[in-house]
Amino acid sequence: MKNNKSKDIKNFLNFEFSSEEEKETFKKSSKTYSEYKEIIELFDNVKPLDYNEEVILEQLDHARLKPSTKKQQVIPLYKKWMPISISATVLLFVSVALFNIKSNLEHHTLAGESVQISLPDASKVWLNAKSNIAYNKAWEKSRAINLKGEAYFEVAKGETFTVKTPQGIVTVLGTKFNVKQRDTSFEVYCYEGTVAVMYKGKETILKANNFFNSKTLDIDMQKSIAAKTKPNWIENVSIFENTPIYDVVSDISIQYDIEFDINSNLNKDLKYTGSYHYDDTLETVLSVFCESLDLEYVKKGKSIYLNKK
């Protein structure tokens, strides 16, 4: 039954009915036509593309015999062409895919890994663990980067520089700033110059040593007490000052490629002050962390289970 349906549809789309009468009979009596009427009728008026084979071959011979320093790739022509609308759709899909492959540059990092990247305009990007950026090769036309994760930027003077994340957009002209985008948070810290942060339709302007945190939208609270020159993770260190426990374990997760399972009996408002170096062993980090908060942990594979002592 399925083979007959496929054959009928194929005949219809490839114009292979012997007569208009046969075609009309198919349209009136075939269950296949009634089931797929909307799709089939999209191609009802499509005709095969006519071409003069002798003219085409003559042009190909002329091109082949013409001297050239480059190798010419000859693409064979076929007598039967697919319907124009189908060909156009496939061509568009392939063209978009090839364009994306050729036009975009991407960088990504694994757990516990960070890299430094130089952009075409001499701007620099430091990419933190489990993060990725993508930007167009035609950098001079648009200085725009798509970011997932965390990155520190030192932007060269020039046209507008934009960092787009799934949660917010950061726009600058020339400055130093850090953007951190994770599943439940979006943070921007300005180290030098001025940064414009667009979050949920509202713009916030940050000056040097001001920061934006999607969890702390009070502008008066978004000011750093101590001036900083770079984020701590650039120096392979994470430092926490009265930081919610969920943000701490999220940070540890991306550096050591593990997942935390926090017991529901733990206080969700629990906060941690401390630090760890990325060269420290996971056991050392967890021991210090748990000792400070009177917790205990159990490690099973790549999962860490946190409980009260």
Side-chain angles (χ1 to χ4, degrees), residues 14-212:
N14 288 337
F15 316 100
E16 292 179 354
F17 287 104
S18 59
S19 66
E20 281 297 319
E21 289 76 12
E22 182 180 350
K23 179 179 177 182
E24 289 302 317
T25 299
F26 164 73
K27 291 171 68 174
K28 293 177 180 179
S29 62
S30 172
K31 281 189 176 182
T32 303
Y33 183 83
S34 61
E35 290 177 13
Y36 299 99
K37 181 179 178 182
E38 292 185 2
I39 298 175
I40 294 175
E41 287 187 349
L42 289 173
F43 304 98
D44 196 10
N45 296 319
V46 177
K47 301 299 180 185
L49 183 64
D50 293 327
Y51 65 94
N52 189 316
E53 182 177 357
E54 292 183 1
V55 173
I56 296 296
L57 290 176
E58 183 179 346
Q59 291 177 347
L60 286 174
D61 284 338
H62 178 73
R64 179 173 58 82
L65 295 173
K66 185 179 179 179
S68 175
T69 57
K70 296 183 179 179
K71 294 183 179 180
Q72 299 292 326
Q73 181 182 9
V74 179
I75 302 175
L77 295 173
Y78 297 93
K79 293 183 179 180
K80 285 189 175 182
W81 290 55
M82 293 182 66
I84 297 173
S85 58
I86 299 177
S87 300
T89 302
V90 174
L91 179 60
L92 177 62
F93 176 80
V94 173
S95 298
V96 170
L98 290 175
F99 177 80
N100 287 334
I101 292 174
K102 292 180 179 179
S103 64
N104 286 340
L105 292 173
E106 296 186 15
H107 301 273
H108 70 276
T109 53
L110 303 175
E113 179 184 31
S114 62
V115 297
Q116 181 182 339
I117 303 151
S118 294
L119 299 176
D121 63 350
S123 294
K124 296 179 180 179
V125 182
W126 284 259
L127 199 59
N128 201 358
K130 280 193 174 181
S131 304
N132 65 75
I133 59 170
Y135 56 93
N136 199 290
K137 285 183 179 179
W139 184 252
E140 66 282 357
K141 295 181 180 180
S142 175
R143 299 202 304 174
I145 282 182
N146 290 313
L147 166 69
K148 288 184 179 180
E150 182 172 15
Y152 168 67
F153 299 85
E154 292 188 353
V155 179
K157 298 290 184 181
E159 298 297 323
T160 301
F161 187 105
T162 304
V163 179
K164 301 177 182 179
T165 80
Q167 295 184 2
I169 299 174
V170 182
T171 305
V172 302
L173 293 177
T175 186
K176 300 178 182 180
F177 63 101
N178 190 79
V179 180
K180 182 178 181 180
Q181 175 273 319
R182 298 296 180 189
D183 292 340
T184 60
S185 64
F186 176 56
E187 302 175 19
V188 181
Y189 191 104
C190 180
Y191 293 88
E192 181 182 290
T194 303
V195 173
V197 180
M198 182 64 69
Y199 179 74
K200 292 186 176 180
K202 182 178 180 180
E203 184 179 69
T204 301
I205 303 298
L206 303 180
K207 299 293 185 179
N209 296 310
N210 288 173
F211 68 92
F212 174 90

Side-chain angles (χ1 to χ4, degrees), residues 231-240 251 274-278:
N232 296 312
W233 64 264
I234 295 290
E235 305 297 331
N236 294 321
V237 177
S238 284
I239 299 176
F240 309 101
D251 188 273
S275 66
Y276 73 91
H277 195 281
Y278 300 162

Side-chain angles (χ1 to χ4, degrees), residues 206-269:
L206 303 180
K207 299 293 185 179
N209 296 310
N210 288 173
F211 68 92
F212 174 90
N213 188 321
S214 61
K215 294 181 179 180
T216 308
L217 297 179
D218 186 341
I219 299 299
D220 292 333
M221 295 179 65
Q222 297 181 357
K223 295 180 180 179
S224 177
I225 298 175
K228 300 179 181 179
T229 57
K230 287 184 179 180
N232 296 312
W233 64 264
I234 295 290
E235 305 297 331
N236 294 321
V237 177
S238 284
I239 299 176
F240 309 101
E241 296 180 6
N242 206 31
T243 304
I245 184 174
Y246 285 95
D247 291 340
V248 177
V249 298
S250 175
D251 188 273
I252 297 174
S253 294
I254 68 167
Q255 297 301 334
Y256 293 92
D257 194 22
I258 56 172
E259 296 294 332
F260 279 86
D261 188 315
I262 301 178
N263 194 301
S264 58
N265 64 8
L266 289 183
N267 183 0
K268 293 183 179 180
D269 296 325

